[in-house]
Amino acid sequence: MAISEPASGKGRALELDLPQRLDRALGAASARHGRACLALVVVCLIAFLPGFFSLSPIDRDEARFAQATKQMLESGNYVDIRFHDQARHKKPVGIYWLQAAAVRAGEAVIGPSARYTIGLYRIPSLLGAIGAVLLTYWAALAFVSRRGALLAGLMMATSVLLGVEARLAKTDAVLLFTILAAFGALAHAYLRTVAARERGEAAPKGDLGLAFVFWTALAGGILIKGPMAPLFVALPMLVLAIIERSVAFLRPLKPLMGLAWCLLLALPWFVAIYYVTAGAFYEHAVGVDMLGKVTEGQEGHWGPPGTYLLAVWGTFWPAIVLVAMAAPFAWRARREPKVRFLLAFVLPTWIAFEIAATKLPHYVLPLYPALAILAVLAAERGALAKAGSKLAEVVRLWPILAIVIAAGLVGLGVWLGSGLGLLAWPLLGLAAVLTWWAALAYRRVGAPGAFLTAALGALALYVATYQILLPQMGALWVSERLATVAKAEGCPAGRIATAPYQEPSLVFLVGTDIKFMPAAMAADHLKQGGCALAFIEDRVMGPFKVRAAALGLKYRTVTTVDGFAYNGGRPVAVTVLRSEEPGS
């Protein structure tokens, strides 16, 4: 059933006014490259900055990365990577160096507290996400008009998943930046080669600029996440070489000289870490971490084939609506060089990730820009689903998903005891209205104006979520509340024990020297006297009390912090105990 129209002429005018204005603004912003880039940066800041500094460290990956970086700063060892008292042999060193540079800059401004300010560790991710949006625009220029390239960039800037990754101090936003740089360079090289062949000319000679971008980006990606960046470019290159029966399209990228440059940039740290760890880094990073994710679902992140195909409806909202409508066009035009390149970039890697056992939504994030460009290409060809067709009815997902997300967040707040989040309701209501308006407008103003209206609703939703709702949900931020108690009590991290609540965020917020130990041993810890604290979960209070009685331990209860461990999916209650033994 088609989406109904407003009954009155006045209603139609209102319906069409905002989408049409946004469509015209898109054209005006794309008149010049500088103006288009400025528009993208502004939208990125609106989308990514809410909650950026106010949200507590997120367990577990973000807190692990940030804490490992903090320990680099504390120890001065920028080769080996450690978390708490253990080696962290999983990812290469690139993201830690970037985070350390950001924190060092922060220390020059705000002093020693910078090391405990999670927002500073997130700055590389923020810059990587903004850079990825700008690179989407640059790469899209090889396929579509300047106006279309700007639209593709806006699809990435307003997507759910990139907004999440921009706020997390880990690898994926920066990895996306490096892969997109390589993707753009490869796209320009391939399409130039195809155009030359169609004109009956020889393949273009080496382009030093494109080669520099491609191989430098590849080296950066390797330092960020090892083989992931080469995987995203090698699979499409292999597919294109098979289809073309030629590798002439690589000629502009100067493969031999470029590979040498890539190795020169990336190899020194990999040699250094081999000698520093006696090969243990490779044994764990490759033999355990990487191969384990391929063969079995690590850390409970298993999923069947098709998981990403289902997840993309939420993670690439609101752009996924246009991508879905572009699918028939992609199949019909699959032999055209531009479409062939985009499909070669997306499909082999997507299938590989669907086959792998471990499933995490951000693994396929680097494929989203190609999907956005494909949707814009279909729109410029007039090949998106026509209004009134069954496929066009997917525009209903704009308001449906917005309402589901809004209702879910409010419901979560009520369940956690944080209230209804009334301050966010005007923004949540605006998001629902704008996304519904977008669905109504699609049949009259077409894809760009309708999408931009939905994107405006998405921005309202993100501000409400990250700036208002999530920071209010104190039950989620157990580590932050425990760290506040520890600070008020004035005990150093080395005199604090915790059992069995041992989230990485607690290490980051309290201090590297915090002690992880069984509950019974925490009683021995307090027996040493002086300024000593113990964080004991109620579920292990029994063993603690037995040992405390055996020792004749004198202690008092400071407070109990109740909350919800979102990683374990369970309620927690952590009691803070302070020693009343005399100092040792």
Side-chain angles (χ1 to χ4, degrees):
M1 184 173 66
I3 296 172
S4 59
E5 298 180 40
S8 66
K10 183 178 180 180
R12 291 193 189 95
L14 181 63
E15 176 194 351
L16 295 175
D17 183 61
L18 179 63
Q20 285 181 333
R21 287 178 180 272
L22 291 172
D23 194 21
R24 288 197 292 269
L26 179 70
S30 62
R32 297 178 182 174
H33 288 305
R35 191 182 298 176
C37 291
L38 178 61
L40 289 172
V41 171
V42 169
V43 172
C44 284
L45 293 176
I46 296 171
F48 302 154
L49 282 183
F52 187 84
F53 288 98
S54 59
L55 282 175
S56 188
I58 306 298
D59 285 309
R60 294 186 172 101
D61 280 354
E62 177 184 48
R64 284 170 176 157
F65 277 105
Q67 174 60 26
T69 298
K70 180 149 69 78
Q71 288 182 221
M72 276 189 173
L73 293 167
E74 292 169 349
S75 67
N77 183 346
Y78 292 89
V79 176
D80 199 8
I81 305 164
R82 304 192 67 80
F83 169 78
H84 199 220
D85 56 357
Q86 297 178 343
R88 182 167 168 79
H89 295 158
K90 287 195 172 186
K91 303 294 186 294
V93 77
I95 193 64
Y96 304 101
W97 285 349
L98 294 176
Q99 290 179 0
V103 175
R104 282 291 190 196
E107 285 180 325
V109 177
I110 65 175
S113 64
R115 293 191 183 181
Y116 293 86
T117 304
I118 189 61
L120 294 175
Y121 294 83
R122 291 169 175 163
I123 285 176
S125 293
L126 174 67
L127 297 178
I130 295 173
V133 170
L134 294 174
L135 285 172
T136 299
Y137 171 78
W138 171 66
L141 291 172
F143 300 88
V144 296
S145 67
R146 189 181 300 174
R147 186 174 185 271
L150 177 56
L151 184 61
L154 291 170
M155 288 181 179
M156 287 299 297
T158 56
S159 68
V160 169
L161 185 54
L162 186 56
V164 171
E165 294 300 332
R167 292 174 172 85
L168 293 178
K170 56 192 193 76
T171 56
D172 296 284
V174 180
L175 177 69
L176 174 65
F177 173 81
T178 63
I179 291 172
L180 267 178
F183 165 77
L186 182 62
H188 282 279
Y190 176 78
L191 293 176
R192 285 181 193 176
T193 302
V194 170
R197 184 181 64 205
E198 291 177 347
R199 294 192 303 266
E201 300 174 358
K205 295 181 179 180
D207 185 317
L208 191 59
L210 280 184
F212 177 80
V213 170
F214 181 85
W215 294 104
T216 303
L218 203 59
I222 291 170
L223 284 170
I224 294 294
K225 211 167 182 177
M228 296 308 297
L231 172 69
F232 277 97
V233 296
L235 279 178
M237 287 166 56
L238 176 62
V239 170
L240 290 171
I242 293 172
I243 293 173
E244 300 281 343
R245 297 181 182 179
S246 170
V247 292
F249 61 88
L250 295 178
R251 187 177 178 186
L253 300 179
K254 294 182 172 289
L256 295 179
M257 184 177 71
L259 182 60
W261 171 246
C262 179
L263 292 175
L264 179 65
L265 294 176
L267 200 57
W269 178 81
F270 284 96
V271 173
I273 196 65
Y274 176 82
Y275 283 102
V276 167
T277 66
F281 176 87
Y282 294 98
E283 181 180 344
H284 191 278
V286 178
V288 178
D289 188 55
M290 187 180 73
L291 294 181
K293 288 177 179 177
V294 174
T295 58
E296 58 186 39
Q298 285 195 345
E299 299 177 354
H301 297 306
W302 177 86
T307 297
Y308 292 114
L309 194 59
L310 180 63
V312 71
W313 291 93
T315 56
F316 201 25
W317 181 85
I320 187 58
V321 168
L322 300 186
V323 174
M325 289 193 284
F329 160 78
W331 175 252
R332 292 193 305 269
R334 62 189 182 278
R335 291 184 176 84
E336 294 184 18
K338 292 180 178 180
V339 177
R340 181 166 65 234
F341 180 89
L342 294 171
L343 292 179
F345 189 81
V346 171
L347 292 181
T349 309
W350 193 291
I351 292 170
F353 280 115
E354 292 284 16
I355 293 171
T358 301
K359 299 286 195 303
L360 285 169
H362 58 261
Y363 285 177
V364 295
L365 176 60
L367 305 179
Y368 287 6
L371 294 177
I373 295 169
L374 187 60
V376 172
L377 185 60
E380 290 194 342
R381 301 276 187 89
L384 287 184
K386 303 299 181 185
S389 70
K390 290 184 178 180
L391 188 55
E393 292 299 301
V394 295
V395 296
R396 291 178 181 271
L397 288 178
W398 278 331
I400 289 173
L401 286 175
I403 293 170
V404 168
I405 293 171
L409 287 166
V410 172
L412 179 63
V414 172
W415 182 63
L416 292 173
S418 303
L420 291 171
L422 293 177
L423 291 176
W425 280 36
L427 286 169
L428 295 176
L430 179 62
V433 169
L434 287 170
T435 50
W436 183 249
W437 196 346
L440 292 173
Y442 179 76
R443 68 187 307 164
R444 288 187 176 273
V445 302
F451 169 77
L452 292 173
T453 306
L456 199 60
L459 293 178
L461 179 62
Y462 301 154
V463 173
T465 299
Y466 293 110
Q467 193 64 37
I468 302 175
L469 290 174
L470 287 179
Q472 288 181 354
M473 297 179 189
L476 296 175
W477 317 123
V478 175
S479 294
E480 183 177 9
R481 293 156 63 200
L482 288 171
T484 300
V485 174
K487 184 176 181 181
E489 291 297 311
C491 294
R495 300 292 294 134
I496 300 175
T498 182
Y501 183 83
Q502 298 174 352
E503 294 293 343
S505 59
L506 188 64
V507 184
F508 176 81
L509 292 169
V510 172
T512 303
D513 295 330
I514 189 172
K515 310 297 185 185
F516 288 176
M517 60 181 63
M521 287 183 62
D524 292 90
H525 170 78
L526 292 183
K527 185 66 177 176
Q528 297 174 21
C531 186
L533 298 177
F535 301 155
I536 309 295
E537 277 196 52
D538 283 5
R539 62 192 175 102
V540 296
M541 189 60 76
F544 171 83
K545 288 183 175 180
V546 169
R547 181 60 178 167
L551 293 171
L553 174 67
K554 297 178 181 179
Y555 66 94
R556 64 179 173 87
T557 298
V558 178
T559 188
T560 296
V561 175
D562 297 309
F564 185 80
Y566 48 84
N567 273 300
R570 59 181 177 84
V572 295
V574 183
T575 299
V576 181
L577 306 173
R578 178 157 185 159
S579 173
E580 292 194 332
E581 296 285 340
S584 56

